[in-house]
Each structure stands twice: as C-alpha cells, then as structure tokens.
C-alpha cells in the first residue's frame, strides 16, 4: 500500500481557514485519496475523497496537485468542533480496507 | 450518529478469557469492517465481510475470528485474551465492498 506523510500536528484559530497537507509521492494511477477524521472519543468519520480533480462537499474541499503527489484538505472556517486527528489515506481503486497512518492532530483555538 | 451500532461499549475481562463484540451495520449496508485502535499501533484493519463472505483480511491474530450473519450483523470473537489485546475495537460499514466507510462508536476492551 502506498504511503502518505502528514505533519504530526497543526494549530488554527476559530473561523480561520485551515490547510492540512499530505504527501503521497508513490501514489499510483488507480489510488484514490481519502480523508477521514477522528474526533475525541469517537470513531473515524469520512470527510472527502478524490482521484484527480479538486472536490468540494459540505464539510471540506480537497485540492489535488497536478502530479497527484500531494494533496491538501481545506477547512474553510475552522470551528472548535473541527479539532480532531485528520487522516490522509490512499485507497486503491476498487480497494476495500483503509490503511491509517498517524494523521495530523488539529487544534482549534477560540 | 453514523447509524452503525456496537455493543457493548465497554468490556473488562481477564487474561485467557474469550469475548464477543457485536456490530450492526447501517441499514442497507452489505459490507462490514473491523479495526483495532491501540496506543502503540494506531488504527489497524483486521477483517472485512461482504454480504456474509470474508472479503479481505488484515493483521488479524489467529486467536481472533469474525463472522457476518444473514441479517448482516457481525461479531468479532477474541479468545485467549492477553494484556496487549486491550484496545478500542471499531466496526465500520459501507453499502458496497469499496464505498465510504461509516464507523461505529467502538467497544473499549480492557484485559486485566
């Protein structure tokens, strides 16, 4: 399974945008980029995924580099509730299991 | 609320014992996954079932087994428990074998 690299931790102030980076230099053509997050004392939660084009949903935006070797999860206005560990995961097209790394712990300050 | 339910929420047992964790997937989801989260290993995939059949296996110990029943609920059986098996066990479900996964609240297992 291809690997991802994320910063261990990041900080943000409430209502500011947050850009969470992820490097995946060994990504293959059929790998989808998935983001999940885990709030304190809860199970992981799906955030967004994409293949080549940038994606938007009600939770976040996903910006994918043209060479697909990196991506950025964008939270447009961080809230205290967004404090969580964010996992960037490469999932083979048609793949099933999720291989979690160590993720980025996001702290949001009022 | 993801729609995935897990019971029990907490379980405390002794070494050498056997326990069963239960998972009910979201209505309509055919695929069930089991993950283990411990402080030293992080979140690890254990096993996946799709419509009653085993589909993928991860780092699941031989002392652990799982099954998915005709009503699509799943059970994870852990036997000959060791202190190192203490962890959070999450169940997730998805519509098909490869869709977005929805996680339950987890079962916290403590082995003493």
């Amino acid at each position: 399974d291809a690997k991802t690299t994320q910063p261990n931790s990041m900080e943000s102030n409430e209502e500011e945008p947050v850009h969470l980076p992820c490097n995946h230099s060994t990504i293959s053509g059929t790998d989808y980029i998935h983001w999940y997050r885990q709030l304190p004392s809860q199970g992981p939660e799906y955030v967004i995924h994409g293949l080549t084009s940038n994606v938007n949903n009600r939770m976040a935006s996903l910006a994918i580099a043209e060479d697909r070797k990196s991506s950025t999860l964008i939270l447009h206005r961080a809230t205290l509730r967004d404090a969580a560990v964010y996992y960037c995961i490469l999932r083979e097209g048609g793949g099933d299991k999720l291989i979690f790394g160590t993720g980025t712990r996001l702290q949001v300050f009022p | 609320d993801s729609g995935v339910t897990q019971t029990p929420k907490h379980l405390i047992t002794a070494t050498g014992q056997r326990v069963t964790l239960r998972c009910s997937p979201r209505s309509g989801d055919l695929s069930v996954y089991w993950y283990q989260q411990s402080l030293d290993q992080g979140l690890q995939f254990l096993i996946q079932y799709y419509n009653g059949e085993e589909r993928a296996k991860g780092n699941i110990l031989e002392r652990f087994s799982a099954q998915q029943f005709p009503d699509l609920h799943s059970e994870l059986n852990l036997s000959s428990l060791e202190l190192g098996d203490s962890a959070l066990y999450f169940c997730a479900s998805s519509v098909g074998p490869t869709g977005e996964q929805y996680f339950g609240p987890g079962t916290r297992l403590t082995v003493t």
Side-chain angles (χ1 to χ4, degrees):
Chain A
D1 299 294
K3 299 272 190 218
T4 63
T5 305
Q6 300 176 254
N8 287 335
S9 63
M10 290 186 65
E11 297 178 352
S12 174
N13 293 318
E14 209 175 3
E15 298 191 6
E16 288 185 354
V18 181
H19 290 232
L20 297 165
C22 181
N23 286 319
H24 28 78
S25 58
T26 59
I27 191 170
S28 74
T30 57
D31 285 341
Y32 284 76
I33 302 159
H34 284 246
W35 284 82
Y36 281 73
R37 71 180 185 180
Q38 188 172 20
L39 278 62
S41 303
Q42 294 189 28
E45 173 186 35
Y46 168 81
V47 178
I48 199 167
H49 78 280
L51 183 62
T52 56
S53 304
N54 294 345
V55 185
N56 300 298
N57 67 20
R58 63 174 181 81
M59 286 182 71
S61 295
L62 176 60
I64 301 172
E66 206 167 319
D67 63 5
R68 301 211 323 126
K69 293 186 176 181
S70 65
S71 60
T72 303
L73 179 70
I74 302 165
L75 307 179
H76 295 285
R77 288 183 67 200
T79 69
L80 296 177
R81 203 189 167 280
D82 291 322
V85 178
Y86 287 78
Y87 296 97
C88 170
I89 299 164
L90 297 185
R91 196 173 181 194
E92 208 177 312
D96 30 42
K97 58 186 179 290
L98 296 173
I99 306 298
F100 288 85
T102 53
T104 296
R105 182 173 297 278
L106 175 66
Q107 288 184 284
V108 180
F109 298 104
Chain B
D1 183 358
S2 66
V4 177
T5 60
Q6 290 188 247
T7 56
K9 286 187 179 176
H10 303 277
L11 199 48
I12 300 175
T13 189
T15 54
Q17 295 298 305
R18 173 190 169 94
V19 296
T20 297
L21 312 183
R22 182 189 168 100
C23 168
S24 293
R26 292 187 321 156
S27 177
D29 284 0
L30 298 179
S31 205
V32 170
Y33 311 75
W34 286 97
Y35 292 84
Q36 179 193 57
Q37 185 170 33
S38 60
L39 282 173
D40 55 345
Q41 298 284 339
L43 264 163
Q44 288 207 309
F45 168 73
L46 295 178
I47 197 164
Q48 178 199 3
Y49 279 81
Y50 176 69
N51 205 19
E53 300 288 326
E54 182 185 303
R55 177 176 166 90
K57 222 167 184 175
N59 300 322
I60 187 166
L61 299 171
E62 282 191 17
R63 300 182 286 107
F64 296 1
S65 64
Q67 54 184 326
Q68 187 179 27
F69 294 87
D71 68 352
L72 301 177
H73 91 272
S74 177
E75 292 181 356
L76 179 66
N77 300 297
L78 315 177
S79 62
S80 304
L81 284 167
E82 302 175 0
L83 295 177
D85 298 327
S86 295
L88 265 168
Y89 290 84
F90 289 106
C91 166
S93 72
S94 63
V95 172
T98 61
E100 299 158 21
Q101 295 182 22
Y102 295 85
F103 284 76
T107 293
R108 182 174 294 279
L109 173 67
T110 303
V111 182
T112 61

